[in-house]
Amino acid sequence: MLAMSVLLTSIAWLAAAGGDTAVIRVNQVGYLPDAPKVAVLCAVGQSDSATRVFVVRRENGRTVLGPRRASASGAFGPCTQTWRLDFSALRTSGRYTIDVDGAGPAAIRIARDAYAGAADTLLYYMRQQRSGWNPFFRDSVHRLDGYVIDDTGGVVKFQPVSGGWADASDYLQYVATSATATYDMLMSFRDHPNAVGDAFAANGLPGRNGVSDVLDESLHGIAWLLRMFPSDTELYNQLGDDRDHAYLDLPTTDSADYGWGKGKQRPVYPCTGRPQGIFQWKNRATGVASTAGKYASAFALAARVLGAHDDSLARLLRRKAEVAYALGRRSPGVCQTAPGHAPYFYEEDNWVDDMELAAAELFSLTHEAHYRREAAAYAAKEPVTPWMGADTARHYQWYPWYNAGHYALWRIGDARDRTTAAGDYRRGLEAVVGRAGNGFRAGIPFIWCSNDLMVSFATQALLYRRMTGDARFREYEQAAVDWLFGTNPWGTSMVVGYPRGGRWPHDPHSVVSLQFGPEAITGGLIDGPVYRSIFSNLRGIALRHEDEYAPFNTGFIVYHDDMGDYSTNEPIMDGTANLIYLMSALMSPRPSSR
Ligand SMILES: [Ca+2]
Ligand SMILES: [Ca+2]
């Protein structure tokens, strides 16, 4: 009923769109009793900044909070004026409605377990994205991967690397995003082992196997990373390239042709330390450390998590972690993804963050003192992830989106390391908050994959709060979570199929969704809104139907629930995995001491 009334409110508003009116935006998943609780009133087509008064009522109509003043919080995007409706004082679990003169009511829920099941739901998308044997299709996909290629695209040899996850709705696969996703999920299991249930087996089919489903999914990632790093001298980085984009096929019938026949082998790109791209475009690769560090971090944490449970695998992972880290030491610099026929690639420009995380995890695993010193030295080279506070950045330029290395260093460091790590996180958060004076408290740059930045900002704020007990960013952390679940100008959750019955993307850029319905990709976090200029300048974007969000796409950022918009409405694997950590942490705030 909650969701239904949200939907009806929105529909009623949309019918009136065009006139002067306002809408209330809320977190459709719900609010934690002790967390900040804010809904946002967004006015479109008028510019008054009058004080508004809101009231919160129980379902039986009894007023439990208010009338309270909501003060104007300025214009943002399509909202000519916003007001923050702060009902944090209400701490009793239950279902309520909030309304304000001229808008609402909107349904809200307060519950201690508001986020229960969220991480499990996100894992549906991860399983659906599996390459190799795929539990959604109950069939193998891309089983012939792949051919290792040289700088000119010539075949060096066949290498069995089937497995892992498709990166998004195309089927390219990258170690940068896959190793990061694997690390995020391992971290989720380490810190919050009970946040996810056990309803699926290792192969992703329904059925308990005595292992948390988030660990099952992490180990699916680890298995692929081991195939992509088969010997001490072969460090692979990418599987497939944008020749994939020639067809809109299901993964089971992918007819992409890389020159070896439709649906045959896909190219495997090694990290070479040199610029790559076999057609007209080249990346700006300078070394291997960005990828080597990510391999080492995931392997080291997996070795530690598995520990005595799987001694032989843990020993192999430890050795692989040490070798990958040594490769990164020997060849500092970035190993970027390779462009194909289009100029787009993941333009990662930092690698010290990756080596910092690797060194810190290797110290946790081995207790060899040099790793801790090296982690601290890397941390000093990039204290703040550079997109924080910036207005823009290149595609995946500063990746991973937040530096988990600082948290890893804080866990193992001495008092000075801990103070430094917390201070580095604080400065990054301050830089984002400095741009977040708007009604939605949004301070991230709206570049491609803005939702990834939103998730990472919230994650860094949560970790900072955990590290220091300092709650000064709590309102902004919660605003980022709320944004992802509906407190945004469009009033939509950014996760497909979640919450059930809520407003969420029904026409995502996905051929699986197109053929099987959007529920087939339940749990996928979409890219999220982008600057209008980005949407206008990307190649090949054309909306397929009338924009139901047109009244809200009048500002500096746009979002379209439209299959044709791959810039804002395409689910992303690595962002989904990042969100798994955040949701696990919000479900069980006290981290495990392991
Ligand atoms: Ca399981
Ligand atoms: Ca990096």
Side-chain angles (χ1 to χ4, degrees):
M1 277 307 94
L2 163 82
M4 186 53 77
S5 52
V6 168
L7 207 60
L8 290 175
T9 305
S10 300
I11 288 168
W13 188 85
L14 286 168
D20 288 356
T21 188
V23 287
I24 300 175
R25 296 314 196 193
V26 304
N27 179 335
Q28 299 176 50
V29 175
Y31 298 84
L32 298 171
D34 300 328
K37 291 177 278 298
V38 177
V40 174
L41 178 68
C42 158
V44 181
Q46 59 187 6
S47 55
D48 79 283
S49 57
T51 298
R52 300 291 184 102
V53 172
F54 70 95
V55 174
V56 181
R57 295 188 174 88
R58 275 218 181 271
E59 283 182 311
N60 64 13
R62 191 168 65 84
T63 298
V64 291
L65 191 78
R68 278 206 171 201
R69 250 186 80 211
S71 45
S73 204
F76 181 81
C79 310
T80 48
Q81 184 59 260
T82 59
W83 292 261
R84 287 179 69 74
L85 317 178
D86 188 339
F87 56 99
S88 302
L90 183 59
R91 290 165 180 267
T92 311
S93 293
R95 292 181 183 276
Y96 306 89
T97 59
I98 184 166
D99 62 286
V100 61
D101 22 313
I108 49 176
R109 177 168 78 113
I110 299 174
R112 199 156 293 287
D113 63 350
Y115 298 110
D120 299 271
T121 301
L122 297 165
L123 281 163
Y124 276 90
Y125 178 71
M126 299 301 292
R127 287 188 290 269
Q128 187 280 136
Q129 286 295 101
R130 283 192 185 192
S131 195
W133 199 82
N134 181 298
F136 177 82
F137 294 103
R138 296 185 180 241
D139 196 0
S140 288
V141 305
H142 295 118
R143 75 193 84 177
L144 301 176
D145 293 331
Y147 283 143
V148 178
I149 59 167
D150 62 22
D151 283 353
T152 62
V155 175
V156 176
K157 64 170 181 172
F158 173 77
Q159 184 69 36
V161 294
S162 185
W165 304 281
D167 202 52
S169 291
D170 54 6
Y171 305 124
L172 278 75
Q173 296 181 231
Y174 307 113
V175 168
T177 48
S178 301
T180 302
T182 301
Y183 182 87
D184 287 340
M185 290 190 291
L186 285 167
M187 184 174 157
S188 171
F189 178 74
R190 179 195 65 195
D191 291 353
H192 307 285
N194 301 315
V196 166
D198 172 23
F200 292 88
N203 64 5
L205 284 176
R208 305 167 71 90
N209 63 344
V211 174
S212 161
D213 295 342
V214 76
L215 183 56
D216 284 326
E217 208 56 32
S218 310
L219 295 177
H220 177 75
I222 288 290
W224 185 65
L225 295 173
L226 285 170
R227 280 178 215 124
M228 292 290 281
F229 183 33
S231 79
D232 293 0
T233 55
E234 296 168 283
L235 193 74
Y236 299 127
N237 193 49
Q238 175 175 334
L239 176 54
D241 60 40
D242 73 15
R243 284 173 282 179
D244 176 281
H245 297 171
Y247 302 95
L248 261 182
D249 296 330
L250 291 171
T252 41
T253 53
D254 183 13
S255 52
D257 187 343
Y258 289 97
W260 309 304
K262 281 181 191 254
K264 299 297 187 193
Q265 282 78 8
R266 299 190 293 172
V268 180
Y269 288 80
C271 282
T272 62
R274 299 182 295 275
Q276 279 171 305
I278 58 174
F279 300 107
Q280 66 270 46
W281 309 99
K282 296 264 185 285
N283 67 21
R284 297 181 304 276
T286 56
V288 312
S290 63
T291 292
K294 292 185 186 77
Y295 269 113
S297 308
F299 287 152
L301 181 51
R304 190 142 174 280
V305 161
L306 287 174
H309 295 299
D310 195 333
D311 222 15
S312 60
L313 179 56
R315 271 200 304 275
L316 171 69
L317 290 168
R318 173 179 169 150
R319 209 190 72 78
K320 288 278 183 186
E322 290 167 335
V323 174
Y325 182 77
L327 289 175
R329 294 287 287 180
R330 227 175 7 252
S331 179
V334 289
C335 174
Q336 299 175 331
T337 70
H341 285 304
Y344 306 136
F345 58 98
Y346 287 1
E347 307 181 49
E348 185 175 357
D349 266 346
N350 58 354
W351 55 272
V352 292
D353 55 340
D354 307 297
M355 291 296 282
E356 176 191 348
L357 180 60
E361 288 298 345
L362 273 162
F363 178 81
S364 281
L365 181 65
T366 65
H367 303 290
E368 291 174 20
H370 70 97
Y371 285 126
R372 190 166 71 183
R373 284 197 305 273
E374 287 157 15
Y378 285 126
K381 290 191 170 156
E382 190 181 276
V384 175
T385 301
W387 70 258
M388 295 188 161
D391 190 46
T392 191
R394 293 172 184 268
H395 194 39
Y396 280 71
Q397 185 176 9
W398 312 115
Y399 187 79
W401 309 105
Y402 83 97
N403 183 354
H406 291 345
Y407 179 54
L409 179 58
W410 176 84
R411 286 170 54 94
I412 58 156
D414 58 20
R416 212 180 90 198
D417 293 330
R418 288 163 78 98
T419 305
T420 305
D424 291 347
Y425 271 170
R426 190 186 65 243
R427 287 207 303 285
L429 295 167
E430 281 168 350
V432 176
V433 165
R435 299 163 37 88
N438 53 74
F440 293 94
R441 298 293 186 258
I444 62 152
F446 285 92
I447 53 176
W448 203 355
C449 301
S450 67
N451 280 340
D452 278 351
L453 304 191
M454 207 56 99
V455 175
S456 283
F457 169 77
T459 307
Q460 179 163 320
L462 180 140
L463 293 176
Y464 173 76
R465 183 158 58 88
R466 178 183 295 168
M467 289 154 65
T468 61
D470 177 356
R472 76 175 84 172
F473 304 114
R474 187 85 199 266
E475 181 189 3
Y476 297 89
E477 171 194 335
Q478 188 61 44
V481 174
D482 293 346
W483 174 278
L484 295 168
F485 297 125
T487 313
N488 55 59
W490 308 271
T492 181
S493 165
M494 299 290 175
V495 175
V496 179
Y498 184 76
R500 275 184 87 158
R503 174 190 283 276
W504 42 262
H506 276 70
D507 191 20
H509 180 83
S510 155
V511 68
V512 175
S513 164
L514 199 61
Q515 297 212 12
F516 295 93
E519 290 84 0
I521 58 167
T522 288
L525 174 72
I526 55 155
D527 283 332
V530 294
Y531 291 129
R532 172 178 306 284
S533 56
I534 291 180
F535 172 74
S536 306
N537 291 326
L538 282 168
R539 298 179 178 189
I541 292 183
L543 298 188
R544 298 192 172 200
H545 58 71
E546 200 183 330
D547 179 12
E548 70 266 49
Y549 288 120
F552 305 105
N553 283 326
T554 57
F556 73 108
I557 49 176
V558 295
Y559 164 73
H560 308 98
D561 185 11
D562 191 303
M563 163 79 184
D565 185 0
Y566 69 83
S567 74
T568 70
N569 211 35
E570 180 173 355
I572 28 174
M573 182 274 294
D574 67 306
T576 302
N578 194 171
L579 187 55
I580 285 171
Y581 184 84
L582 180 62
M583 290 296 106
S584 302
L586 288 172
M587 267 175 67
S588 47
R590 215 180 275 266
S592 161
S593 54
R594 285 188 298 177

